[in-house]
Amino acid sequence: MSVSGASRYRYFEKPLVQTLHSFKPILTDPTESDHWIIKTLVNEPFTRTTSTQTQYRESETQTEPYSPPICVPTAADIAEPEILSLQHLTCANGQLPVGSKEIAWICRNRERRLKAKLLPSISDEKTLKLHKAFLEEQEQFEFQARERELEEQLETRLRAFKEDLYCKYEES
C-alpha cells in the first residue's frame, strides 16, 4: 500500500525509544573534570523542541483555493446566476477577501441588473429608444463611478507624495 498526499504524516510516528540522555550515568569514580558532564546529563530535560530549515519559502507552498468549474443549464426561463458575475474576484488577482470597493461594485452591478429586468422587451421603436436611453444612462453612471475611483487614487498618491516631501524636508 502506498501512502501519499497531505495526510501522509498520519501513517508515521517516531519510535518510542529512549535516548541515552534520559538515563542517569553510572560512574564508579568520578573525577573533578568529569563532574560537569554528570551535572549537565542529569539536569537535561526529557523533551526538546526542535525545528527544521527547508530551502522552500512558505509562500511557495501556498496554493490557490479550489473553485470547481461552474455549469449553468442553458434554459430560457433560468436567469444567469449572480455568482457568474463574480468570477473575476480571485485570490490570484488579490481581490479576495472582498473589500469596500468590490462590495460597491457588486451593489452597482445588482442595481444595473434590477433596472435591466424592469425594462420591457424590445418589440417596437419606442422600447428600442427606452433600451438605448437606459444603456446611455448606465454608461454615464459607470463613467462617473470610474472617474470617482481615479480621483480617489490620485488623492491618495498626492497625499503620500506630500508626506514623503515633508519627511525629506525635515531630514535636511
Side-chain angles (χ1 to χ4, degrees):
M1 180 172 121
S2 176
V3 179
S4 63
S7 299
R8 181 181 172 145
Y9 72 93
R10 293 181 179 165
Y11 296 94
F12 299 97
E13 61 183 41
K14 289 184 175 182
L16 298 173
V17 177
Q18 292 183 339
T19 60
L20 288 176
H21 298 295
S22 62
F23 294 109
K24 293 184 180 181
I26 301 170
L27 297 174
T28 54
D29 191 19
T31 61
E32 286 295 324
S33 61
D34 293 336
H35 184 66
W36 68 274
I37 297 173
I38 297 170
K39 196 173 196 179
T40 55
L41 290 178
V42 170
N43 294 335
E44 189 172 329
F46 287 107
T47 60
R48 283 189 207 167
T49 303
T50 60
S51 60
T52 59
Q53 176 80 30
T54 64
Q55 56 183 323
Y56 301 105
R57 290 179 36 184
E58 185 179 326
S59 63
E60 292 172 353
T61 60
Q62 297 294 324
T63 59
E64 297 271 331
Y66 174 71
S67 55
I70 299 171
C71 300
V72 180
T74 56
D77 59 336
I78 298 175
E80 184 179 285
E82 185 182 14
I83 193 75
L84 291 180
S85 66
L86 305 176
Q87 279 184 326
H88 71 281
L89 299 174
T90 60
C91 286
N93 294 341
Q95 296 171 329
L96 285 180
V98 290
S100 58
K101 289 180 183 179
E102 287 82 11
I103 291 175
W105 180 85
I106 291 169
C107 290
R108 284 196 310 262
N109 199 19
R110 282 180 179 164
E111 288 176 14
R112 183 184 55 81
R113 284 176 168 226
L114 185 65
K115 287 179 184 177
K117 279 184 182 179
L118 295 176
L119 286 174
S121 61
I122 301 174
S123 58
D124 58 348
E125 196 171 315
K126 185 179 179 184
T127 55
L128 179 67
K129 286 181 182 178
L130 225 132
H131 275 268
K132 192 175 182 181
F134 167 74
L135 290 176
E136 286 175 359
E137 178 187 330
Q138 198 62 36
E139 189 175 311
Q140 187 70 22
F141 181 73
E142 289 176 7
F143 182 76
Q144 289 171 352
R146 179 66 181 148
E147 217 172 39
R148 282 191 300 271
E149 286 178 17
L150 290 175
E151 285 176 5
E152 288 173 8
Q153 288 177 359
L154 185 64
E155 284 293 322
T156 56
R157 288 170 123 184
L158 187 61
R159 202 175 312 118
F161 178 73
K162 284 180 180 179
E163 288 174 5
D164 288 343
L165 192 63
Y166 286 134
C167 289
K168 287 181 182 180
Y169 178 75
E170 288 175 359
E171 287 175 3
S172 61

